[in-house]
Amino acid sequence: MPSKVWKVNNMAFIHLSGTGDFDHVRLLGVAFRAIAETIISSAEAAQLEIAVVEACNNIVEHAYANQSGIITMDIFTTPEKLVVNLRDTGLSIPEKAQTPMESFDFSRDNLDDLPEGGFGLFLMDSLLDERQYTSENGINTLTLIKNLQSPPL
């Protein structure tokens, strides 16, 4: 998994990439968490890892849909934010699928009634301060933003 690290002024920038398969999603998640733990608490890093892995899983499952591809992860920090840009060249997210569920309500007695779709976005939004998505010239970019309560470590 290729990577590069740059630090300019008060901003750190790290670039990682891996093939768009579930084995590399795991590696990207572990790498993200290790990097994030140098910036935020272990507990916060673990929560954000869930959002990052969910986003990468969606890329593998929906954008690449059993085709080969690359997931690129750019992580950068400012004194105020931790930002993760995930890029792929797979299918773009249809506009109607970009909205998470309003709430996640289900009965434990009837797990067959679990809603299909939208839970991943709901999960990401509950762990992040902001999520943005663009698709231009065949490149999809999902931006995950977590505001920092105090300056990075």
Side-chain angles (χ1 to χ4, degrees):
M1 182 172 14
S3 66
K4 294 181 181 179
V5 179
W6 295 271
K7 189 155 185 163
V8 179
N9 297 330
N10 286 333
M11 188 171 87
F13 180 86
I14 299 160
H15 174 85
L16 302 165
S17 62
T19 57
D21 58 57
F22 292 112
D23 288 337
H24 280 96
V25 165
R26 183 179 171 280
L27 292 174
L28 287 169
V30 168
F32 168 80
R33 185 172 180 174
I35 292 163
E37 285 179 343
T38 68
I39 301 163
I40 56 179
S41 73
S42 292
E44 289 175 308
Q47 288 182 339
L48 292 182
E49 178 187 14
I50 292 168
V52 168
V53 167
E54 177 61 29
C56 290
N57 281 338
N58 284 347
I59 291 169
V60 171
E61 185 176 350
H62 302 293
Y64 288 132
N66 299 318
Q67 299 177 15
S68 61
I70 301 292
I71 298 173
T72 301
M73 179 188 303
D74 295 325
I75 305 166
F76 67 92
T77 63
T78 67
E80 299 84 25
K81 296 179 181 187
L82 172 64
V83 179
V84 179
N85 284 323
L86 297 168
R87 290 188 182 83
D88 69 79
T89 56
L91 300 171
S92 60
I93 301 173
E95 192 163 332
K96 67 179 183 176
Q98 293 179 36
T99 305
M101 296 182 296
E102 294 285 323
S103 65
F104 188 64
D105 189 25
F106 68 96
S107 169
R108 291 177 187 215
D109 297 329
N110 189 3
L111 295 180
D112 292 333
D113 248 2
L114 284 173
E116 183 63 37
F119 178 66
L121 297 177
F122 177 80
L123 178 66
M124 283 185 257
D125 288 351
S126 69
L127 297 169
L128 301 165
D129 291 305
E130 191 175 346
R131 176 182 51 86
Q132 302 168 356
Y133 177 78
T134 61
S135 184
E136 296 178 7
N137 302 317
I139 299 172
N140 306 312
T141 304
L142 180 61
T143 302
L144 311 175
I145 301 170
K146 182 67 176 176
N147 296 329
L148 301 175
Q149 303 305 318
S150 57
L153 303 173

